[in-house]
Amino acid sequence: MRNHEPGRDRGRVPARRGRRRIALAGAAGALALGTAAVVVPHALADDEPLGLGEAVERLDVDEAALGLLEIGEIVETAESLTYADETTVLEFSDPDASYVKLHFERMLLTGGDYVTVSSPDGSESYRYDDSQMSRWATSITGDTAIVELHKTGGDAVSDALGAVVDKVAYGFPEDVVDELVDEKNHRARPAESLCSDDDKKPSACYENSYPDIVDHTEPVARLLIDGTVLCTAFRVGEENRMLTNNHCFSESWEAQRTEVWFGYTCTSCAGGEATEPVKVSGDHVLATSEDLDYTLFSVDDFAAVERFGHLTLSDDRVGRGEAIYIPQHPAGRPSEIAVESTVDGGNCVVDEPVYDGYVADSDVAYYCDTEFGSSGSPVLSRDTHEVIALHHFGGCPNSGVNASLIEDEIGYLI
């Protein structure tokens, strides 16, 4: 039983330039903690880089085209550690959980006291020593999280001070996530699409054959949003900048409730064992656009992830037949790469250089395989290793926003 639980509440599809319908997620404006994101006028109003006219029509597309996947459940609780308590440790556990993520309603400490959230063996541990309100702690991989209040010996201003946990996110086990993905993939028009056989492979499979491709996978990160929702993102430019989809999140308060995992990959091509990821949190949204479905944001501990390198947005035109690859975290799994394609007779290539997205002619289309959780992945050129598109739609062909349009809008911020 869970501790502190109040109850558990293919074949190729001909490419079309038809309009897809989708319910838009997230506001275009972003404001949190007094910091406003830049809501950028879309580049499609200019003639460059694709020679489009000034009039831009917003297209309607299916809500199912959003590639979001919830991989856990949030349980309400009311557990606390105060200075008046004899115990200084709480345990939150579910034998089936793949991760445990705690939400602190408040944390009011005194002096040099601090709280840790750790795995039972201490191999994963995160320290919180600032007074704060309404904060998600970093997730603990596995089925148990230990919360401990560390007192340094000073006198507390009040015995009522301490930490209060009001919500716990428990991750579904891997087999349940696989079933959820299978169910969504078998819908008539899945949002994230396997276009024939699943040709994606763990990045470790290409370490010898395509070392350059594997190197350019390192800046790609797994996102865990608000405890249960998956997306992908990547470092762009040399500064503290990350890029994902607007439909993943669009405001700074959402970024701050998002975990960003770097270095999460299988240790071998056979899969199974994965490396220990470096987990940081999102910080501020710097720019966002519904039309081009991007969000540019920063992370709170850039020094911890700077070593993973960065990618560059291309400002070149995309050509039909150009060889491409997509590093991604499908269904939240360790990094996989779509570089081969049964549909295309071998390699992933650009199928349509100009394709409809949220607005006409904004996207690049391809038959590279993606799944739920792959939203926000970079589509890279095999020749230049530059990002030619920001993946966001499925449907076979799948598609991503032309990177040159994004670069035209926010290049000055990167």
Side-chain angles (χ1 to χ4, degrees), residues 47-163:
D47 287 341
E48 295 296 336
L50 296 182
L52 300 173
E54 292 186 0
V56 177
E57 179 186 2
R58 185 59 183 251
L59 305 182
D60 294 326
V61 285
D62 272 334
E63 184 175 356
L66 286 174
L68 301 180
L69 178 69
E70 291 195 16
I71 61 162
E73 66 172 350
I74 296 176
V75 175
E76 303 289 335
T77 188
E79 297 294 332
S80 62
L81 289 172
T82 72
Y83 286 87
D85 296 331
E86 292 185 6
T87 180
T88 58
V89 178
L90 289 175
E91 177 179 305
F92 295 85
S93 182
D94 182 329
D96 297 323
S98 59
Y99 65 85
V100 182
K101 185 175 175 68
L102 306 179
H103 184 270
F104 291 101
E105 181 181 23
R106 62 182 181 274
M107 186 186 297
L108 298 173
L109 308 178
T110 187
D113 297 351
Y114 61 97
V115 168
T116 57
V117 180
S118 310
S119 58
D121 63 3
S123 61
E124 189 175 11
S125 183
Y126 303 96
R127 172 172 169 157
Y128 305 93
D129 52 13
D130 294 325
S131 295
Q132 51 198 307
M133 300 291 194
S134 190
R135 162 76 182 263
W136 280 105
T138 301
S139 64
I140 298 298
T141 303
D143 61 13
T144 302
I146 306 296
V147 183
E148 183 172 3
L149 173 61
H150 301 262
K151 302 176 183 179
T152 59
D155 293 331
V157 176
S158 168
D159 285 347
L161 296 182

Side-chain angles (χ1 to χ4, degrees), residues 41-345:
H42 47 68
L44 300 182
D46 299 327
D47 287 341
E48 295 296 336
L50 296 182
L52 300 173
E54 292 186 0
V56 177
E57 179 186 2
R58 185 59 183 251
L59 305 182
D60 294 326
V61 285
D62 272 334
E63 184 175 356
L66 286 174
L68 301 180
L69 178 69
E70 291 195 16
I71 61 162
E73 66 172 350
I74 296 176
V75 175
E76 303 289 335
T77 188
E79 297 294 332
S80 62
L81 289 172
T82 72
Y83 286 87
D85 296 331
E86 292 185 6
T87 180
T88 58
V89 178
L90 289 175
E91 177 179 305
F92 295 85
S93 182
D94 182 329
D96 297 323
S98 59
Y99 65 85
V100 182
K101 185 175 175 68
L102 306 179
H103 184 270
F104 291 101
E105 181 181 23
R106 62 182 181 274
M107 186 186 297
L108 298 173
L109 308 178
T110 187
D113 297 351
Y114 61 97
V115 168
T116 57
V117 180
S118 310
S119 58
D121 63 3
S123 61
E124 189 175 11
S125 183
Y126 303 96
R127 172 172 169 157
Y128 305 93
D129 52 13
D130 294 325
S131 295
Q132 51 198 307
M133 300 291 194
S134 190
R135 162 76 182 263
W136 280 105
T138 301
S139 64
I140 298 298
T141 303
D143 61 13
T144 302
I146 306 296
V147 183
E148 183 172 3
L149 173 61
H150 301 262
K151 302 176 183 179
T152 59
D155 293 331
V157 176
S158 168
D159 285 347
L161 296 182
V164 177
V165 178
D166 64 338
K167 291 184 286 189
V168 187
Y170 292 99
F172 297 142
E174 184 177 349
D175 60 339
V176 173
V177 175
D178 288 343
E179 289 176 4
L180 290 173
V181 172
D182 287 343
E183 177 186 346
K184 289 178 177 290
N185 282 338
H186 282 91
R187 292 178 181 175
R189 295 188 61 212
E192 305 287 351
S193 301
L194 303 177
C195 294
S196 181
D197 299 327
D198 185 1
D199 296 311
K200 302 187 309 304
K201 294 180 181 178
S203 56
C205 298
Y206 297 109
E207 287 179 348
N208 294 324
S209 54
Y210 297 117
D212 288 346
I213 286 179
V214 174
D215 286 345
H216 287 84
T217 297
E218 292 188 359
V220 180
R222 178 191 194 261
L223 299 185
L224 179 62
I225 305 165
D226 209 17
T228 62
V229 178
L230 293 174
C231 273
T232 300
F234 59 94
R235 266 198 66 203
V236 57
E238 296 181 357
E239 304 302 323
N240 182 2
R241 301 290 185 266
M242 300 287 301
L243 196 63
T244 191
N245 289 142
N246 171 276
H247 78 247
C248 294
F249 64 82
S250 62
E251 302 193 30
S252 290
W253 67 267
E254 295 172 296
Q256 291 157 13
R257 296 170 70 154
T258 297
E259 286 186 29
V260 185
W261 293 22
F262 282 90
Y264 185 49
T265 185
C266 291
T267 57
S268 71
C269 183
E273 185 178 355
T275 56
E276 187 73 26
V278 177
K279 301 177 183 179
V280 296
S281 295
D283 192 8
H284 290 295
V285 168
L286 305 168
T288 191
S289 168
E290 287 186 351
D291 286 351
L292 296 184
D293 199 16
Y294 69 76
T295 291
L296 184 72
F297 68 102
S298 61
V299 296
D300 68 349
D301 189 3
F302 180 57
V305 299
E306 188 173 8
R307 63 186 172 89
F308 290 98
H310 67 276
L311 300 176
T312 301
L313 298 183
S314 173
D315 58 5
D316 291 335
R317 286 182 175 272
V318 179
R320 180 178 282 105
E322 181 175 350
I324 57 176
Y325 63 99
I326 306 178
Q328 56 192 282
H329 286 279
R333 296 191 296 270
S335 62
E336 298 181 9
I337 306 175
V339 65
E340 300 169 275
S341 171
T342 303
V343 174
D344 289 313

Side-chain angles (χ1 to χ4, degrees), residues 19-43:
R19 299 176 182 177
R20 293 176 278 191
R21 292 186 305 246
I22 194 161
L24 302 181
L31 181 65
L33 302 178
T35 301
V38 178
V39 183
V40 186
H42 47 68

